[in-house]
Amino acid sequence: MDVLRSSQTSFQEYLLQGSILEAHRELLLHRLHGLCDMVDNVPEKYLDHEMVYCLRGPTAIQSVILNVRHALDHLENPWHVRYLGPVEDRSRLTLMRGCVDVGVSENIQQFLHDMGFVLDYEYVVKGYIFKKGRLKVTVSKLSKVLNPGNLEHLEPMTASFLVELSAVAPSYQEQVQEDMKNFAEQLKPLVNLEKVDFRRPQQGN
């Protein structure tokens, strides 16, 4: 079965996240336009379909989660499978976790099904990409897929736009984290980018 199309690359992902209301989106886009490296003086737009697959383990911690993504506006592009590891060293300036991204062919869904993975949920993400050196900023709107596999019926997950500042680099790159924090400061008070660990167990009262 022809699944892999590119070599596997493993690095650390450094991440800060925040959100902004629709009313302030244009102000943020204008700010990013001035701060980032622009090609043809316009931000890059993207429209992706993302599916989250899970291989259940004896406990939630032992389960394996993979994100499968493909571009809806560039169907000729290869699909991608991404694995994100647990958060490492919470004392760092940014969220830091292992990241493996693999280019794959479109039969990846059948391959994962044969391996025992189950589709957990899926959504469509539409937005803008800005770049500043090795830093990447996305401003996007997430929509839930109401019926599995049917992208005609979507429901916005929130009225806000998700803002993510990220970088992929070798482990423990202190300068990357400093660059990200300095860049995030320039976006205040429009948006506050913070470390958000959605996988961290919530503490009881």
Side-chain angles (χ1 to χ4, degrees), residues 74-167:
H74 291 285
L75 297 176
E76 71 281 4
N77 289 352
W79 292 43
H80 278 264
V81 172
R82 193 174 222 215
Y83 168 77
L84 295 172
V87 173
E88 303 175 14
D89 195 349
R90 302 182 193 279
S91 66
R92 298 285 165 171
L93 295 175
T94 69
L95 203 69
M96 186 177 71
R97 53 192 179 181
C99 173
V100 179
D101 197 292
V102 184
V104 298
S105 57
E106 60 186 20
N107 62 344
I108 183 61
Q109 294 171 275
Q110 183 60 50
F111 177 78
L112 291 177
H113 181 268
D114 293 342
M115 292 287 291
F117 282 84
V118 175
L119 178 64
D120 195 6
Y121 60 92
E122 57 185 316
Y123 57 92
V124 170
V125 55
K126 179 179 181 180
Y128 304 86
I129 300 175
F130 295 84
K131 294 183 180 179
K132 178 68 172 179
R134 55 185 168 180
L135 308 184
K136 181 175 76 172
V137 185
T138 58
V139 181
S140 55
K141 195 70 170 287
L142 278 62
S143 297
K144 179 170 59 177
V145 177
L146 299 178
N147 300 312
N150 185 352
L151 303 186
E152 297 298 323
H153 297 90
L154 305 174
E155 180 181 279
M157 290 185 177
T158 173
S160 301
F161 281 77
L162 174 65
V163 183
E164 294 186 314
L165 171 61
S166 64

Side-chain angles (χ1 to χ4, degrees), residues 38-93:
M38 302 298 295
V39 178
D40 297 327
N41 208 37
V42 294
E44 178 185 348
K45 296 181 180 180
Y46 72 103
L47 178 63
D48 288 351
H49 176 207
E50 184 148 339
M51 294 155 283
V52 179
Y53 283 85
C54 182
L55 182 62
R56 308 287 181 190
T59 65
I61 296 178
Q62 294 175 298
S63 296
V64 177
I65 298 175
L66 297 177
N67 291 55
V68 177
R69 176 178 289 210
H70 70 106
L72 296 176
D73 51 350
H74 291 285
L75 297 176
E76 71 281 4
N77 289 352
W79 292 43
H80 278 264
V81 172
R82 193 174 222 215
Y83 168 77
L84 295 172
V87 173
E88 303 175 14
D89 195 349
R90 302 182 193 279
S91 66
R92 298 285 165 171
L93 295 175

